[in-house]
């Protein structure tokens, strides 16, 4: 999302975070990552062009991802293993619970994690043996030629992918045609997902997805504005009928 128009804005936003990073103790950051995150996205002036939206959020993500990468290198572990080796208390310290506490408190999170410690090793073994399933969107970008879609589907399946996501929203005719093509190429045993990138209003999302439901998508991503919680709930209720 930062390889085109707007890249220079995100780069400037990253640079604006420098004063909050220079001189920081890595030990302090890594022992209370949640508080570090909170401070990064709630700076008294920058938060007015965020705090967890748009360019400022992308800038914060760049910093956080870099810190995770650095942490893994320091410990000599891939990030998933670094996380896996943490205690429930350490994992909980990674999270800023400010906007979560009404649904999940830090203490409740620690309790859930603690209850699952006895089976953690088993899941780690499964991770090392089987990996974690990921999806590919390369097969489903808008406006790519059908022959390219077919070729990408074949190569992705050869590489082991079983989950495929397609972008939709140009027109119902185009979405239907492309969904038919993807289902033909990946079959019905593999998983198909759809992504609208917030293009529709609630009524159109319901109407459109009702017609695409026959392709059995696992989910429809961002059918309307990401901030419209009630709209998403209405869409979900309508599509369950």
């Amino acid at each position: 999302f930062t390889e085109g128009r707007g890249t220079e804005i995100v780069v400037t936003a990253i640079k604006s975070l420098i004063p909050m990073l220079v001189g920081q103790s890595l030990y302090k950051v890594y022992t209370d990552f949640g508080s570090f995150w909170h401070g990064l996205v709630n700076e008294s002036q920058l938060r007015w062009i965020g705090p967890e939206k748009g360019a400022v959020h992308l800038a914060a993500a760049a910093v956080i991802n870099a810190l995770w990468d650095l942490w893994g290198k320091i410990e000599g572990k891939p990030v998933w293993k670094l996380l896996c080796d943490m205690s429930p208390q350490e994992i909980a310290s990674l999270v800023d619970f400010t906007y979560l506490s009404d649904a999940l408190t830090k203490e409740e999170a620690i309790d859930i994690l603690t209850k699952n410690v006895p089976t953690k090793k088993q899941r780690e073994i499964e991770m090392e043996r089987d990996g974690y399933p990921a999806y590919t969107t390369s097969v489903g970008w808008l406006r790519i030629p059908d022959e390219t879609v077919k070729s990408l589907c074949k190569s992705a399946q050869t590489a082991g992918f079983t989950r495929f996501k397609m972008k939709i929203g140009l027109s119902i005719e185009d979405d239907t045609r492309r969904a038919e093509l993807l289902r033909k190429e990946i079959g019905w045993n593999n998983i198909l997902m759809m992504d609208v990138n917030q293009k529709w209003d609630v009524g159109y999302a319901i109407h459109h997805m009702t017609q695409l439901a026959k392709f059995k998508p696992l989910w429809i991503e961002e059918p309307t504005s990401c901030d419209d919680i009630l709209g998403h709930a209405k869409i979900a209720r309508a599509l369950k009928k």
Side-chain angles (χ1 to χ4, degrees), residues 28-228:
K28 183 178 179 181
V29 170
Y30 290 145
T31 52
D32 193 2
F33 220 157
S35 293
F36 175 77
W37 166 266
H38 184 83
L40 198 65
V41 299
N42 279 282
E43 197 275 334
S44 62
Q45 294 180 343
L46 290 176
R47 77 177 320 279
W48 296 109
I49 53 173
E52 296 176 353
K53 288 280 187 178
V56 169
H57 191 49
L58 288 170
V63 171
I64 295 297
N65 286 349
L67 283 168
W68 272 109
D69 185 60
L70 178 60
W71 198 356
K73 286 180 168 62
I74 291 171
E75 297 293 333
K77 301 175 183 179
V79 171
W80 75 266
K81 177 61 174 170
L82 177 68
L83 188 63
C84 189
D85 288 345
M86 292 181 183
S87 68
Q89 290 77 13
E90 288 171 326
I91 293 174
S93 76
L94 302 170
V95 180
D96 174 15
F97 284 88
T98 302
Y99 300 140
L100 299 175
S101 58
D102 62 318
L104 180 71
T105 66
K106 184 174 183 178
E107 292 71 27
E108 289 169 336
I110 291 173
D111 184 55
I112 292 170
L113 291 164
T114 300
K115 288 178 179 177
N116 284 277
V117 166
T119 56
K120 184 168 75 169
K121 188 62 179 177
Q122 176 186 341
R123 291 192 298 279
E124 182 180 348
I125 292 171
E126 291 174 358
M127 179 71 77
E128 290 186 304
R129 183 189 66 221
D130 303 328
Y132 193 83
Y135 67 76
T136 176
T137 312
S138 64
V139 303
W141 294 110
L142 295 170
R143 299 185 178 90
I144 58 175
D146 288 359
E147 291 305 314
T148 301
V149 172
K150 294 176 183 179
S151 175
L152 289 170
C153 283
K154 288 182 173 62
S155 60
Q157 290 179 91
T158 300
F161 281 96
T162 58
R163 293 156 172 80
F164 303 82
K165 190 171 81 170
M166 61 179 294
K167 301 287 185 176
I168 60 175
L170 291 182
S171 68
I172 187 61
E173 294 78 16
D174 183 75
D175 293 342
T176 299
R177 182 187 62 77
R178 292 171 56 249
E180 287 176 345
L181 174 61
L182 275 166
R183 271 300 179 202
K184 181 179 179 181
E185 294 301 316
I186 70 172
W188 291 88
N189 291 327
N190 286 324
I191 294 172
L192 178 65
M193 297 157 283
M194 297 178 175
D195 185 1
V196 187
N197 289 123
Q198 307 180 50
K199 291 180 180 178
W200 299 333
D201 65 16
V202 172
Y204 192 76
I206 293 170
H207 175 265
H208 205 88
M209 286 311 302
T210 298
Q211 298 182 69
L212 294 176
K214 62 185 178 182
F215 297 107
K216 303 296 181 184
L218 177 65
W219 73 57
I220 169 61
E221 185 175 343
E222 294 187 333
T224 193
S225 168
C226 62
D227 293 320
D228 189 356

